């Protein structure tokens, strides 16, 4: 149980293009999903909290107009990196929160490379 | 902002040795999770500790949550090469910005290498 998928697993794009990453909870419903970013040799940094049916809450320093989050259903959240630049290259990971527990279950991550 | 200090950052040991990883904070957490992450993959949950003073064992791994719920440790007995990976602790706390959902703050991670 508690399986989370992400798609795509990796993507390479040109500077200036937009990239959409999907996060799905496969065997449970998640009212809340989180998006993280991880640079090489570093830990996870929370970007935003996504609640189904409402606007996402962004952490300080994260541009909401650049990182668009949509949580349209209890099993799907999407992160769109708009007008991507090389500095946006990173490992993006989502997590899902089933029910009222603290434990988050993570997706396998998406490696974004912007040329 | 809740901060969680994790140490050591890097650890290289011989197979069969024991090791301990520590996570410390001045903040109180409602629970603390330990994850293990392989390169190019997402973190995989090892354990969640909730009660102050709680000890959980997972085969050769022993997890402890401090009495005040501000710190935690992971002890591995007789390490094996398969234990190699990035170990992350994460403390759960209630953030006003996240509504009723508890956010996680992650430690910096411990890169463990177990040599044959």
């Amino acid at each position: 149980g508690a399986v989370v998928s992400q798609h795509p697993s990796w993507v390479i794009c040109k500077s200036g293009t937009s990239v959409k990453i999907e996060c799905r909870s496969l065997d449970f419903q998640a009212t809340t999903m989180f998006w993280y970013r991880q640079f090489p040799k570093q830990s996870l940094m929370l970007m935003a909290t996504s609640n189904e049916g409402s606007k996402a809450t962004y952490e300080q320093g994260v541009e909401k107009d650049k990182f668009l989050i949509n949580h349209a259903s209890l099993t799907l959240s999407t992160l769109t990196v708009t007008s991507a630049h090389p500095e946006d290259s990173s490992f993006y990971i989502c997590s899902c929160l089933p029910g009222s527990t603290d434990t988050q279950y993570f997706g396998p991550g998406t490696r974004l490379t912007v040329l | 902002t809740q901060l969680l200090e994790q140490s050591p950052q890097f650890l290289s040991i011989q197979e069969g040795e024991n090791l301990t990883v520590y996570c410390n904070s001045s903040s109180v957490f409602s629970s603390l999770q330990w994850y293990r992450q392989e390169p190019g993959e997402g973190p995989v949950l090892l354990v969640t500790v909730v009660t102050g003073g709680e000890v959980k064992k997972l085969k050769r791994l022993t997890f402890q949550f401090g009495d005040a719920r501000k710190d935690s440790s992971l002890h591995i007995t007789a390490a094996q090469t398969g234990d190699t990976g990035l170990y992350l602790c994460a403390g759960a706390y209630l953030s006003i910005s996240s509504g009723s959902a508890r956010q996680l703050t992650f430690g910096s991670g411990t890169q463990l290498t177990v040599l044959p």
Side-chain angles (χ1 to χ4, degrees), chain A residues 38 43 49 57 102-104 107, chain B residues 30-31 35 37 48 97 102 107:
Chain A
Q38 186 179 32
S43 189
T49 302
T57 304
D102 290 350
T103 301
Q104 295 181 21
Chain B
S30 60
S31 68
Y35 295 87
Q37 186 180 24
T48 299
S97 62
R102 287 180 172 82

Side-chain angles (χ1 to χ4, degrees), chain A residues 56-115:
Chain A
T57 304
Y58 292 81
E59 294 301 299
Q60 194 171 7
V62 178
E63 299 176 57
K64 62 180 181 180
D65 294 330
K66 180 168 186 59
F67 299 99
L68 301 178
I69 292 173
N70 184 282
H71 193 158
S73 76
L74 290 172
T75 59
L76 173 64
S77 177
T78 60
L79 168 68
T80 301
V81 183
T82 62
S83 187
H85 291 284
E87 57 265 30
D88 297 324
S89 298
S90 189
F91 194 50
Y92 292 87
I93 310 173
C94 72
S95 73
C96 301
L97 194 63
S100 59
T101 67
D102 290 350
T103 301
Q104 295 181 21
Y105 294 91
F106 286 82
T110 297
R111 171 73 58 192
L112 171 63
T113 302
V114 185
L115 303 176

Side-chain angles (χ1 to χ4, degrees), chain B residues 13-18 77-80 114-115:
Chain B
I13 61 172
Q14 294 292 135
E15 197 168 28
E17 292 183 351
N18 303 330
T77 304
Q80 300 176 356
V114 182
L115 304 170

